[in-house]
């Protein structure tokens, strides 16, 4: 069975500081991992994905994520947070050949000016 | 502009009154899916479709129906809505076979349903 955990409901960070949003996953096969962002009254927008290869994945808006197989984690990071990064972030997992995607419960990121 | 369009965006209705939420995409995507978003639960998949006339249940299909008669459209039908179906609903589409072929999904802006 596939599952995703986002242990933090809320993350606060000062503008200009680095940010990390945590995600751990569980799959029986090889994972495909995704990060999405949701702004108020909008649908989810794709940020980045991990398929295979380099453990550090770069995505949109300066975000990156680090895949760690031994810790089954896929944490989202950004070196310098912007106020405009404030949003709801979702981690999602599936595996090769699967037809559905499992989402975490979301982490609300607030960047404080 | 590439997009997934859902209608209506907001709907308040009463228990038992059939309703349909439409979803249309203009990207010629094979895979389409419906999710509901509830506080503390994230997004949960209701139904998905791999292509025309091919649909399957997701994690929470009870009380919902879908159809895929055309590639671009994937309506969600609530035959007899109940208050526990009050939620925020999202339609999404992607190329190929969807998530398992590592394709990211494109989401509509959501439909907020309130069932009284």
């Amino acid at each position: 069975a596939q599952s995703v955990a986002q242990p933090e409901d809320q993350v606060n960070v000062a503008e200009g500081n680095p940010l990390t949003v945590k995600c751990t996953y569980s799959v029986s096969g090889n994972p495909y991992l995704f990060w999405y962002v949701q702004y108020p009254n909008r649908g989810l927008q794709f940020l980045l994905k991990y398929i295979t290869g380099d453990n550090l994945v770069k995505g949109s808006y300066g975000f990156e994520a680090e895949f760690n197989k031994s810790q089954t984690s896929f944490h989202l990071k950004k070196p310098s947070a912007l106020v405009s990064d404030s949003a709801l972030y979702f981690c999602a997992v599936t595996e090769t050949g699967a037809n559905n995607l499992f989402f975490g419960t979301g982490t609300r990121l607030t960047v404080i000016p | 502009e590439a997009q997934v369009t859902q209608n209506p965006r907001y709907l308040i209705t009463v228990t038992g009154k059939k309703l349909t939420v439409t979803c249309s995409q203009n990207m010629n995507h094979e895979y389409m899916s419906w999710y509901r978003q509830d506080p503390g639960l994230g997004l949960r998949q209701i139904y998905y479709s791999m292509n025309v006339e091919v649909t399957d249940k997701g994690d929470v299909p009870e009380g919902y129906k879908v159809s895929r008669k055309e590639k671009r459209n994937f309506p969600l039908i609530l035959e007899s809505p109940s208050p526990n179906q009050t939620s925020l609903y999202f339609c999404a589409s992607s190329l190929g076979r969807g998530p398992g072929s590592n394709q990211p999904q494109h989401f509509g802006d959501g439909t907020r349903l309130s069932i009284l």
Side-chain angles (χ1 to χ4, degrees):
Chain A
Q2 303 163 42
S3 66
V4 179
Q6 292 182 244
E8 300 159 318
D9 292 334
Q10 174 84 39
V11 170
N12 296 326
V13 64
E15 186 177 21
N17 282 3
L19 69 87
T20 298
V21 182
K22 296 179 181 178
C23 171
T24 59
Y25 66 92
S26 175
V27 296
S28 54
N30 293 320
Y32 291 153
L33 293 150
F34 301 83
W35 275 103
Y36 288 85
V37 60
Q38 185 181 30
Y39 297 102
N41 299 314
R42 299 300 303 276
L44 278 69
Q45 296 178 28
F46 169 71
L47 276 179
L48 50 78
K49 67 180 178 182
Y50 171 82
I51 306 168
T52 187
D54 195 347
N55 289 342
L56 186 63
V57 178
K58 294 191 182 298
S60 306
Y61 312 120
F63 283 94
E64 56 191 26
E66 187 169 11
F67 173 70
N68 187 316
K69 187 173 183 178
S70 63
Q71 297 184 6
T72 61
S73 66
F74 190 55
H75 300 332
L76 182 70
K77 303 185 181 199
K78 188 173 182 181
S80 178
L82 301 173
V83 173
S84 57
D85 293 330
S86 298
L88 187 57
Y89 289 82
F90 289 96
C91 181
V93 68
T94 188
E95 52 190 342
T96 311
N99 298 326
N100 46 10
L101 190 63
F102 291 89
F103 284 85
T105 52
T107 298
R108 186 165 299 282
L109 173 68
T110 300
V111 181
I112 303 164
Chain B
E1 178 189 353
Q3 59 187 0
V4 177
T5 303
Q6 296 178 226
N7 280 296
R9 292 291 312 279
Y10 304 91
L11 179 63
I12 301 173
T13 188
V14 296
T15 299
K17 186 177 181 181
K18 181 179 178 180
L19 67 91
T20 299
V21 184
T22 63
C23 173
S24 181
Q25 50 93 4
N26 62 359
M27 295 167 281
N28 202 35
H29 285 168
E30 292 83 7
Y31 182 94
M32 297 187 74
S33 182
W34 276 103
Y35 297 89
R36 60 178 288 174
Q37 182 180 6
D38 301 289
L41 297 177
L43 278 78
R44 293 178 292 167
Q45 190 174 45
I46 303 170
Y47 269 94
Y48 62 91
S49 170
M50 305 293 285
N51 212 325
V52 175
E53 302 291 3
V54 181
T55 64
D56 208 345
K57 296 177 181 178
D59 296 320
V60 289
E62 294 77 19
Y64 304 95
K65 285 175 57 178
V66 293
S67 68
R68 188 91 181 271
K69 293 184 170 58
E70 304 167 286
K71 197 172 186 180
R72 63 183 293 127
N73 296 324
F74 190 45
L76 179 70
I77 303 157
L78 283 71
E79 293 269 2
S80 183
S82 62
N84 63 12
Q85 293 177 298
T86 292
S87 186
L88 180 58
Y89 291 85
F90 288 100
C91 180
S93 72
S94 66
L95 287 169
R97 297 177 63 82
S101 57
N102 71 62
Q103 296 297 322
Q105 296 186 52
H106 298 254
F107 284 80
D109 285 338
T111 295
R112 187 168 292 280
L113 287 183
S114 294
I115 316 294
L116 304 178

